[in-house]
Amino acid sequence: RAKSAGGNRYELADPEADARAITRHGLTTALPAALERGEFFIEYQPLVHLGDGSVRGAEALVRWLHPQHGVIGPDRFIPLAEHTGLIVPLGRWVLEESVRQARRWEARTTGGIDAGPLRVNVNLSPMQLTHPGLVSDTVDILEREGLEPGALCLEVTESALIGADDDLLKPLRRLAEMGVDIALDDFGTGYSNLANLRRLPVSVLKLDRSFTQGMQHFPADPVDLKIVEGIVSLAHSLDLAVTVEGVETGAQADQLRELGCDTAQGWYYARPGPPDRLHELALADATG
Ligand code: C2E
Ligand code: MG
Ligand code: MG
Ligand code: MG
């Protein structure tokens, strides 16, 4: 409740804003114990090859099963974890859990049918990038779980790398040299200089959902199509693969395939879900 500030105009604070503030604070202080108690879990969303429709892997997306508030999405707590630094141990847990899961997919065959290697994409926060343990933690985890580096892709947002100097890029370069893929996430939302792409150790561009949304209507805006076409051809000329986010309809998938995109992700294929479901989807398409 705000004090009245000279006069009586501010007698009541916005009760909703109040509730949000309390929740933010409450959530922030609850994060460390939540990590210790194992309240986080990961859902996996398939990455589908646009050419043949096969499942090639999945993006790991963290969620918080809060004892009072139920499932809380990452957009609500990742910024808080970044603010307090908890993102470093939380991110390490996500990486470890995801790598372990990818290894399980690899090891599991059902009825003698090999679904093919399933790769895993893990999101990295800017703070993890500057954390000195990033390379050694990643190497340790891959070795301990027995996963080859090529089965891991680390997603870094375009905005985290804007204006990145060599010190920031060095750990990513080391990881890329080991065979870990680096993807530029949410591409097209920042202000990156396209020429700058050449200095980044990335092998995948993830085109932001906003581009896909622009194709929701048929026929799609021809200018939007030209932009995507231009990005795809630039990416391919730099040897980068293009993944598109937020594909919600078959028409969008067709359009994006025609524009030369390589991989797609979105509700049209599957929502994020439990790890076993990914294996089932991959098996289903391996057996027809
Ligand atoms: P992102 O990395 O860009 O992940 C894609 C987001 O788009 C996910 O939201 C996914 O559920 C959502 N999505 C996928 N397909 C569709 C679709 O067809 N339509 C629509 N409308 N949305 C779709 P989610 O799971 O809520 O994650 C939000 C963001 O939180 C992620 O965006 C990522 O930046 C961050 N995040 C998630 N997990 C982690 C993590 O382990 N570490 C870090 N640092 N960030 C994470
Ligand atoms: Mg991502
Ligand atoms: Mg993304
Ligand atoms: Mg996004």
Side-chain angles (χ1 to χ4, degrees):
R1 206 157 290 233
K3 285 191 191 125
S4 64
N8 53 7
R9 291 183 54 207
Y10 300 106
E11 288 201 12
L12 283 176
D14 171 7
E16 272 187 33
D18 240 25
R20 274 196 301 273
I22 291 164
T23 308
R24 253 182 85 87
H25 176 74
L27 291 182
T28 304
T29 52
L31 277 166
L35 182 58
E36 259 173 47
R37 282 199 294 260
E39 290 173 6
F40 295 98
F41 67 100
I42 301 174
E43 288 192 316
Y44 297 86
Q45 186 177 34
L47 290 155
V48 177
H49 189 252
L50 273 166
D52 62 12
S54 62
V55 176
R56 297 296 174 93
E59 178 173 8
L61 296 159
V62 69
R63 280 92 178 81
W64 179 3
L65 181 55
H66 190 285
Q68 278 92 47
H69 304 296
V71 176
I72 302 177
D75 283 336
R76 278 193 71 199
F77 65 82
I78 291 286
L80 308 180
E82 277 169 350
H83 193 69
T84 59
L86 194 82
I87 191 66
V88 171
L90 175 59
R92 196 188 296 123
W93 177 81
V94 172
L95 181 65
E96 184 163 28
E97 189 63 24
S98 304
V99 164
R100 190 174 298 144
Q101 187 53 58
R103 181 71 185 106
R104 277 193 212 114
W105 287 327
E106 203 176 75
R108 230 182 83 182
T109 53
T110 307
I113 301 153
D114 186 353
L118 292 171
R119 311 171 76 244
V120 75
N121 284 34
V122 177
N123 292 286
L124 282 191
S125 282
M127 192 180 279
Q128 289 175 272
L129 277 183
T130 54
H131 184 74
L134 176 67
V135 174
S136 57
D137 284 351
T138 307
V139 171
D140 285 353
I141 289 170
L142 287 170
E143 281 181 356
R144 197 170 342 118
E145 302 301 332
L147 191 78
E148 41 162 334
L152 174 66
C153 177
L154 296 174
E155 299 193 358
V156 183
T157 60
E158 183 188 20
S159 55
L161 293 187
I162 284 175
D165 58 11
D166 264 3
D167 281 348
L168 191 76
L169 295 179
K170 211 179 279 168
L172 287 182
R173 270 204 194 100
R174 288 266 324 271
L175 291 165
E177 281 160 14
M178 285 167 40
V180 173
D181 269 315
I182 311 291
L184 206 51
D185 203 357
D186 298 343
F187 184 79
T189 56
Y191 298 91
S192 64
N193 174 354
L194 290 178
N196 193 30
L197 275 178
R198 304 177 55 175
R199 6 181 328 265
L200 303 179
V202 299
S203 45
V204 181
L205 276 196
K206 288 194 80 173
L207 210 54
D208 191 67
R209 191 163 74 221
S210 49
F211 290 100
T212 324
Q213 268 164 353
M215 287 177 199
Q216 233 154 24
H217 308 288
F218 189 83
D221 181 342
V223 176
D224 284 350
L225 296 183
K226 282 281 174 216
I227 292 173
V228 174
E229 201 172 17
I231 293 175
V232 171
S233 84
L234 174 82
H236 285 168
S237 72
L238 295 170
D239 267 336
L240 306 177
V242 179
T243 298
V244 286
E245 303 183 319
V247 178
E248 294 182 357
T249 68
Q252 286 173 335
D254 291 342
Q255 189 83 260
L256 291 158
R257 184 183 307 110
E258 242 164 72
L259 291 170
C261 297
D262 303 290
T263 312
Q265 180 180 356
W267 296 347
Y268 173 62
Y269 300 100
R271 302 223 173 198
D276 286 351
R277 220 216 24 211
L278 185 84
H279 199 266
E280 284 156 19
L281 288 170
L283 273 176
D285 80 42
T287 56

